[in-house]
Amino acid sequence: MDEQGHDGTGRVDLSFTVEEAQRTVRVPPGVTVFDAASWNGIAIDSTCGGHGTCHKCKVRIDGPSPITRHDVKTFSREQLDAGWRLACLVNATSDLAIEVPPLTTRPKAATVGVGRQVILRPAVQKRYVELAEPTLEDQRTDLTRLLDAIDDLEPVPDLHVLRRLPTVLRQADFKVTAVVVDEALVDVEPGDTTRAAYAIAVDLGTTTVVATLLDVTTGTPVAVASMLNRQQPFGGDVITRISATMLDPAALDRLRDAAAQTLATLADQVCTEGGVDPAQVYEVALAGNATMTALALGIDPEPLGVAPFVMSTPQPPDLLASELGLRLHPQARVTLFPALGAYVGGDIVAGMLATGMDRDKRTRLFIDVGTNCEIVVSDGDRIVSTAAPAGPAFEGGAIRCGMRAADGAIEVVKLGGADDPVELGVIGDVEPRGLCGSGLVDAVAELVRVGLLDASGRYVADDVAKEIAPSLADRLAYVGQERVFVLHRPAPDAEPEDCVVLSQRDVRELQFAKAAISTGWTLLLEELGLEHRDVQQVLLAGSFGSYLSAASAVRIGLVPKLPVLRIVAAGNVAGEGAKMALLSVRERAGARALLEEVTYVELSDRADFNDRFVDQLSF
């Protein structure tokens, strides 16, 4: 396969057109077109897991894309000249326009996650039956008559079904569809509704919540939506939300209501966008950290926030969707991912499931970067995990000009160019208003590279700056008594306090965050008797990890010093794991099995943690 080289920096815009509907997504360079579509809920046909062997993920590319040997086997010369390629083999290293044909087949398997293939076997099953009407000679009960006709399943009815069964059978002339979820017969519907079966996968994040509506009959995403968690007014991280419940007994109910409102809004949104009747959504899979899960369920989170950090249960029970405020089928079930510990929760278990941490024989490092950073290392036989307190810097918190990744946020920084000494990539291509997490990492990495920040993280003196970087030296200034670097001036004569700047304190915040993370993965590697160079792949998970520059992460020491192509932006793997649990009962069992396979390592009781942390502070 021909690969386009890239240095791991910057972003590319991919504009997808599906049946005249257009959607543009922004991804790191080197991501395949297939993965970029998958992360964003854009369905491209595939059954091989993105390995180029099924030859189904056909798209037309408007832009530069090399022709692979698999493309030659798939397309005619005229089609190749017209830009037809296999999406899983196109690495996006520049902006591309992509035409996606509508799905014309019903795939036997659904590809989800990063390089994972799932054999379609959802918990939601529908069976259409045409029953003989009762007679004096055949006085079987309505339920027996229905169950006798479903010979491959042995479902147990609930009261909802028994109440509906007599009326629905007779109004539908005994031609009905039985709806089964796991072993429960949850409904009987008039006529043949076997093609209408849906489920919703939810990544319940502390900051952002993402919901994906899935057609479980085909395994394909129908609609995806995201929004800020409505618990935000109670604090930006789990500790502040736990503290809120400790200070005010009524806060727990309000936090639970906020979670319910968030989930209900997203469920309504994806059903509306997908043109799906909410009553045809029969199951929800929810992946969240231990605190978010506890708050959504109304469980007191205080024990999670104080030593010895104890969960109420590692595996919350399944429950009705209505108990979480979701307006779906009356008997729709919610399954929740298990947690490994108070700070390595169900979202990380879902991520491990999606990335196959228990299946790959390579030495792999999985990092979900956020306020609380979860880290997992596998050597192919053993898996260890931990959590590191990174703080809010990666989400723009505690940063002088920090902001969330929204329009106006600087997300890419390049310094020292011949034409422009400061090149900025801004979300929305508008006037810069602040600095988001990926921009913060880029800025510090670039300042280290050009020499304006020394290894200790201090800005160099003015005379040194003029000598080593004359085109940038005038951007070093003061706001009050604090040294800053000016990234953007709204006007040529703007004062530093009116500019978007990176302060010395901002650099320190990032240093502390990256030191906590690198100490975490260093200690986990030592736990397995490994060194940094033994790592064969790094997976950067979560929203921030998806848009983090691999080159910048390596330069500041956030990840081991490896070639950037070994560092993979894994996307929303928590959401991908939730999808897998809905599409395959086997994968769902695999998630629960991870509780026995993964060893949790507590860093807070390590006597050498502080010394190791200090060692990791330098750039």
Side-chain angles (χ1 to χ4, degrees):
M1 172 176 131
D2 296 330
E3 289 189 354
Q4 294 168 279
H6 66 87
D7 64 359
T9 64
R11 305 291 180 274
V12 295
D13 289 334
L14 304 183
S15 178
F16 290 93
T17 301
V18 187
E19 296 183 299
E20 299 184 356
Q22 192 174 66
R23 184 170 175 199
T24 300
V25 302
R26 178 172 289 191
V27 298
V31 169
T32 67
V33 167
F34 183 86
D35 281 345
S38 177
W39 294 350
N40 290 280
I42 299 167
I44 297 179
D45 198 4
S46 174
T47 59
C48 72
H51 297 297
T53 56
C54 76
H55 297 226
K56 290 189 176 185
C57 57
K58 300 175 183 179
V59 296
R60 194 173 70 80
I61 305 289
D62 184 4
S65 57
I67 298 172
T68 70
R69 58 187 178 88
H70 291 290
D71 292 323
V72 172
K73 292 179 181 179
T74 307
F75 303 106
S76 67
R77 184 70 253 175
E78 292 76 14
Q79 288 175 316
L80 292 172
D81 291 343
W84 285 95
R85 303 288 187 271
L86 294 177
C88 66
L89 302 180
V90 178
N91 291 322
T93 57
S94 62
D95 293 350
L96 297 173
I98 301 142
E99 179 185 330
V100 180
L103 290 175
T104 56
T105 61
R106 197 175 200 179
K108 295 181 180 179
T111 304
V112 293
V114 180
R116 288 293 309 279
Q117 182 180 3
V118 172
I119 302 303
L120 193 61
R121 175 57 176 88
V124 178
Q125 299 284 318
K126 281 191 166 187
R127 296 292 183 270
Y128 173 66
V129 293
E130 297 184 1
L131 307 176
E133 296 188 22
T135 64
L136 289 175
E137 291 76 24
D138 181 7
Q139 292 184 328
R140 287 176 297 165
T141 66
D142 288 342
L143 181 62
T144 300
R145 190 176 303 277
L146 177 64
L147 296 181
D148 286 349
I150 307 173
D151 53 9
D152 63 329
L153 299 173
E154 296 181 0
V156 178
D158 59 22
L159 184 57
H160 174 80
V161 173
L162 296 178
R163 285 171 175 164
R164 284 173 49 79
L165 188 57
T167 304
V168 172
L169 282 177
R170 285 154 183 85
Q171 288 181 345
D173 295 326
F174 287 84
K175 297 175 181 179
V176 295
T177 299
V179 184
V180 180
V181 180
D182 285 327
E183 297 179 354
L185 177 63
V186 300
D187 209 349
V188 57
E189 299 172 342
D192 184 355
T193 64
T194 52
R195 290 184 176 273
Y198 301 91
I200 296 176
V202 178
D203 171 18
L204 181 59
T206 308
T207 303
T208 307
V209 184
V210 182
T212 304
L213 178 66
L214 295 172
D215 180 340
V216 297
T217 68
T218 63
T220 54
V222 177
V224 63
S226 65
M227 64 181 290
L228 282 179
N229 192 322
R230 288 188 174 175
Q231 295 177 345
Q232 285 293 312
F234 293 88
D237 56 64
V238 296
I239 296 300
T240 53
R241 293 184 201 175
I242 292 172
S243 298
T245 66
M246 296 167 65
L247 295 171
D248 179 4
L252 178 56
D253 286 341
R254 293 202 296 271
L255 280 159
R256 182 185 179 187
D257 289 344
Q261 291 170 20
T262 305
L263 295 172
T265 300
L266 285 172
D268 292 346
Q269 190 172 336
V270 292
C271 286
T272 300
E273 183 181 326
V276 168
D277 181 353
Q280 293 175 331
V281 178
Y282 304 100
E283 195 172 30
V284 176
L286 191 149
N289 65 48
T291 302
M292 291 301 99
T293 301
L295 291 174
L297 297 177
I299 298 172
D300 181 7
E302 181 177 347
L304 296 170
V306 295
F309 313 111
V310 176
M311 297 183 292
S312 60
T313 175
Q315 176 63 72
D318 290 355
L319 65 153
L320 290 177
S322 56
E323 295 183 60
L324 289 181
L326 293 166
R327 300 176 287 270
L328 305 172
H329 186 276
Q331 298 301 304
R333 311 297 172 93
V334 177
T335 184
L336 298 107
F337 273 81
L340 296 167
Y343 291 96
V344 180
D347 52 343
I348 304 306
V349 173
M352 285 192 283
L353 178 72
T355 54
M357 290 295 288
D358 59 334
R359 302 185 180 204
D360 201 309
K361 291 303 178 183
R362 292 175 295 175
T363 296
R364 303 167 86 204
L365 169 61
F366 173 105
I367 306 175
D368 191 324
V369 183
T371 303
N372 180 65
C373 177
E374 297 90 354
I375 307 167
V376 182
V377 176
S378 170
D379 65 0
D381 294 316
R382 297 164 296 166
I383 308 175
V384 291
S385 67
T386 193
F394 293 119
E395 295 179 356
I399 303 301
R400 183 182 183 91
C401 295
M403 63 179 290
R404 298 192 192 282
D407 285 355
I410 297 171
E411 63 170 351
V412 178
V413 178
K414 292 186 178 181
L415 300 181
D419 298 325
D420 187 353
V422 179
E423 296 180 41
L424 303 176
V426 183
I427 297 175
D429 295 323
V430 296
E431 179 85 5
R433 296 192 297 113
L435 193 65
C436 67
S438 60
L440 171 67
V441 173
D442 261 11
V444 171
E446 285 290 278
L447 287 165
V448 170
R449 181 183 63 81
V450 301
L452 294 184
L453 280 174
D454 63 24
S456 73
R458 291 185 63 85
Y459 282 119
V460 299
D462 288 339
D463 56 340
V464 176
K466 291 176 182 176
E467 181 179 343
I468 62 175
S471 64
L472 297 169
D474 67 329
R475 289 178 176 265
L476 284 173
Y478 285 89
V479 174
Q481 299 296 312
E482 188 174 23
R483 201 86 181 281
V484 301
F485 180 84
V486 177
L487 290 165
H488 171 71
R489 294 186 176 100
D493 57 349
E495 295 296 323
E497 52 264 29
D498 298 323
C499 300
V500 179
V501 300
L502 181 76
S503 73
Q504 183 68 70
R505 189 176 304 170
D506 298 339
V507 177
R508 293 288 181 239
E509 288 287 343
L510 181 62
Q511 274 186 285
F512 292 146
K514 83 95 181 177
I517 294 170
S518 56
T519 301
W521 53 254
T522 297
L523 291 175
L524 287 188
L525 288 171
E526 291 178 4
E527 194 80 16
L528 297 178
L530 301 171
E531 297 182 3
H532 299 185
R533 64 174 177 267
D534 296 320
V535 177
Q536 294 168 280
Q537 185 183 58
V538 178
L539 297 159
L540 293 174
S543 299
F544 175 73
S546 296
Y547 297 100
L548 176 64
S549 160
S552 296
V554 169
R555 187 170 290 123
I556 70 170
L558 185 66
V559 300
K561 294 192 181 301
L562 300 170
V564 293
L565 288 177
R566 288 198 202 174
I567 300 168
V568 177
N572 180 12
V573 287
E576 293 296 330
K579 294 178 195 176
M580 292 171 67
L582 293 170
L583 298 180
S584 168
V585 291
R586 179 178 295 181
E587 296 293 345
R588 188 176 307 185
R592 290 169 179 158
L594 283 169
L595 287 183
E596 304 298 326
E597 298 178 37
V598 181
T599 301
Y600 179 73
V601 178
E602 180 60 61
L603 296 183
S604 60
D605 63 355
R606 294 273 305 232
D608 60 344
F609 179 80
N610 286 339
D611 291 339
R612 305 299 293 275
F613 175 83
V614 172
D615 291 341
Q616 297 291 335
L617 282 171
S618 62
F619 292 122

